Amino acid sequence: MEPSTASKAVGGESICKDKAGDSASKVVDLTQARLLSDGTEMLASFNTVANVPTTGTVLYAVRAWSSDGSKEYQFGVKFQDGKETANFVTEAGSGKQENITTGAVAADKQVSVRYPLAKLEGLGDKFEWSAKVTVDGTEADRCPGGDVRSRFPGA
């Protein structure tokens, strides 16, 4: 039996570096976003200039596109006043959202969260991605900037 695209994924890593001081928000400014896969899970981590905010609503999210453009996902974690309130994967084509039960870790200047690759079916071993942070519903920072995308795995 042929394994699914998600289960045959190999490990890899991609890091997006972001310029400090380019955030539209005084609350969150990304310095780096990182995706790391061990072949079964995807770890997304977001590093910031200042400590993780403990007030307001903050969403840390990744948008990922398969290399052939047939699949698009958004996965992210939302905090309200420093407490995790949502952790999800949304498939853009269907709009289907799945809640993820692995909790995020937010400490000091980093937020990290794990996603099962089975929830990212069809994304493949190589894809494009970008990360962003929104504060109270308004985009604060993006990595890389503008409409540029990073590649997974990184070069």
Side-chain angles (χ1 to χ4, degrees), residues 136-154:
D136 296 327
T138 302
E139 185 173 309
D141 204 2
R142 186 183 294 238
C143 187
D147 292 329
V148 178
R149 298 177 183 177
S150 294
R151 296 196 183 277
F152 183 92

Side-chain angles (χ1 to χ4, degrees), residues 4-149:
S4 74
T5 302
S7 65
K8 69 180 181 180
V10 295
E13 177 181 40
S14 181
I15 297 173
C16 170
K17 302 268 185 194
D18 192 53
K19 180 174 67 172
D22 69 338
S23 176
S25 166
K26 303 246 186 285
V27 178
V28 179
D29 188 8
L30 286 173
T31 59
Q32 168 179 300
R34 176 181 177 229
L35 295 182
L36 176 66
S37 175
D38 65 1
T40 58
E41 290 185 318
M42 182 69 69
L43 173 72
S45 59
F46 304 83
N47 291 47
T48 56
V49 171
N51 285 342
V52 173
T54 57
T55 59
T57 302
V58 183
L59 171 67
Y60 300 85
V62 170
R63 185 159 292 237
W65 299 266
S66 64
S67 59
D68 67 2
S70 66
K71 288 287 187 176
E72 179 182 337
Y73 289 95
Q74 180 177 12
F75 44 101
V77 61
K78 185 186 290 188
F79 293 88
Q80 174 70 47
D81 296 331
K83 305 249 188 283
E84 182 180 333
T85 58
N87 188 353
F88 62 89
V89 171
T90 303
E91 198 273 312
S94 67
K96 180 182 175 194
Q97 179 173 311
E98 289 194 55
N99 294 325
I100 304 299
T101 58
T102 56
V105 176
D108 301 324
K109 298 176 182 178
Q110 185 178 68
V111 172
S112 297
V113 62
R114 295 174 293 128
Y115 298 94
L117 287 180
K119 302 294 184 193
L120 303 171
E121 189 171 333
L123 193 57
D125 295 342
K126 294 182 171 120
F127 57 89
E128 294 183 331
W129 67 282
S130 67
K132 73 175 181 178
V133 178
T134 61
V135 177
D136 296 327
T138 302
E139 185 173 309
D141 204 2
R142 186 183 294 238
C143 187
D147 292 329
V148 178
R149 298 177 183 177

